[in-house]
Amino acid sequence: LSVVLKAVAQPTSGSLAIGRENGISLSQIIQQLAASKPDTNRVNLLISQSHLYWIAKTNQNNLLDSSRMAAENALDLSSRLRFIKGSNEANFMICRTAIEKGDITSAVSIASKVYGEERARLLLIISEHFVFAWKSPEQIDKGYPFIIAAINTSKAAGSSSWYYQGLLLLGKYYFIKGDIARGK
C-alpha cells in the first residue's frame, strides 16, 4: 500500500511564490540556528533563511548560492527526519535557485526526484520560467511540455489545486502566444 501511495501522493501545501518571512530578520534567524537542535524547527529556520537570502538578492548582491545552501541543508535534515513538508519546501527553493541561475537541467533533475503534487509544483515553476521569459516564441514554447506534464501529474495525484494552477498557466501560455480562444 505504501508503494501505491508514494507513486501518486506527495502532498504539498506550498505555493509557487517564495515565502515572505514577516517579522524576522536574517540576523535573528542566524542566531536561532546557532542555538537550534537538529529537528523540524531547525528545518523551518533553514527554509526561512533560504527565503530571506532569495528576497535579498540583487544584481549587485547575488545571494542565490546562500539561498541554495540553506535549502540544501534543510533538505538533508528533512530527509533524515522524514519531514516531508520540509523536504518539499527545500526542493522548491533548490529548484528555484537552479532556474534563476539558468540551470534548467538541474531543475528538471530535481523535479524528476519527487512525485505527486510536489512534482507538479516544480514542473509549474520550470514552465513559468519559459512562459514568462518573453525572449522569443521558441523560448516560450519550451514551457508547454512542462505545463502539460504538470497538469497530467496533478491529475494522476488527484490534486485539484495544482491541476487548476496548471490550467491557469496553460491559459496564460495561449494568451501570450496570441491564441485568445484557446487561452479562454
Side-chain angles (χ1 to χ4, degrees):
L1 180 61
S2 65
V3 172
V4 172
L5 288 175
K6 183 178 179 185
V8 296
Q10 184 177 18
T12 188
S13 59
S15 72
L16 297 177
I18 304 294
R20 299 275 181 205
E21 303 301 324
N22 295 325
I24 192 161
S25 70
L26 188 54
S27 62
Q28 290 171 315
I29 288 188
I30 291 169
Q31 286 176 340
Q32 290 177 22
L33 278 167
S36 69
K37 299 175 187 170
D39 58 12
T40 57
N41 182 57
R42 182 174 181 82
V43 170
N44 290 329
L45 287 169
L46 287 164
I47 296 297
S48 293
Q49 183 182 37
S50 179
H51 290 173
L52 288 170
Y53 279 133
W54 174 276
I55 292 164
K57 70 181 175 46
T58 64
N59 288 337
Q60 298 79 28
N61 183 17
N62 193 331
L63 296 171
L64 283 175
D65 291 335
S66 297
S67 178
R68 183 174 179 134
M69 190 169 78
E72 287 173 347
N73 289 336
L75 180 61
D76 179 57
L77 182 55
S78 293
S79 297
R80 286 187 278 134
L81 297 172
R82 297 183 182 179
F83 180 38
I84 292 172
K85 184 178 177 186
S87 292
N88 287 348
E89 193 60 26
N91 277 316
F92 172 76
M93 290 304 297
I94 295 166
C95 191
R96 289 292 291 222
T97 57
I99 291 167
E100 185 76 10
K101 288 185 145 215
D103 187 358
I104 304 306
T105 303
S106 288
V108 171
S109 175
I110 295 161
S112 71
K113 293 176 185 170
V114 298
Y115 50 90
E117 290 182 340
E118 186 62 11
R119 180 175 286 162
R121 181 186 187 201
L122 298 185
L123 289 169
L124 286 171
I125 63 169
I126 294 167
S127 59
E128 279 184 336
H129 166 75
F130 291 112
V131 171
F132 300 126
W134 299 90
K135 292 179 182 173
S136 69
E138 296 79 23
Q139 185 78 359
I140 294 167
D141 287 338
K142 289 180 181 179
Y144 181 79
F146 292 107
I147 298 170
I148 299 306
I151 290 170
N152 291 337
T153 300
S154 60
K155 225 189 313 189
S159 174
S160 60
S161 174
W162 294 114
Y163 175 75
Y164 289 118
Q165 287 289 327
L167 290 179
L168 282 170
L169 186 55
L170 183 61
K172 291 174 185 178
Y173 165 82
Y174 284 126
F175 284 132
I176 290 168
K177 296 286 291 173
D179 191 340
I180 305 305
R182 284 177 112 179
K184 287 181 180 181

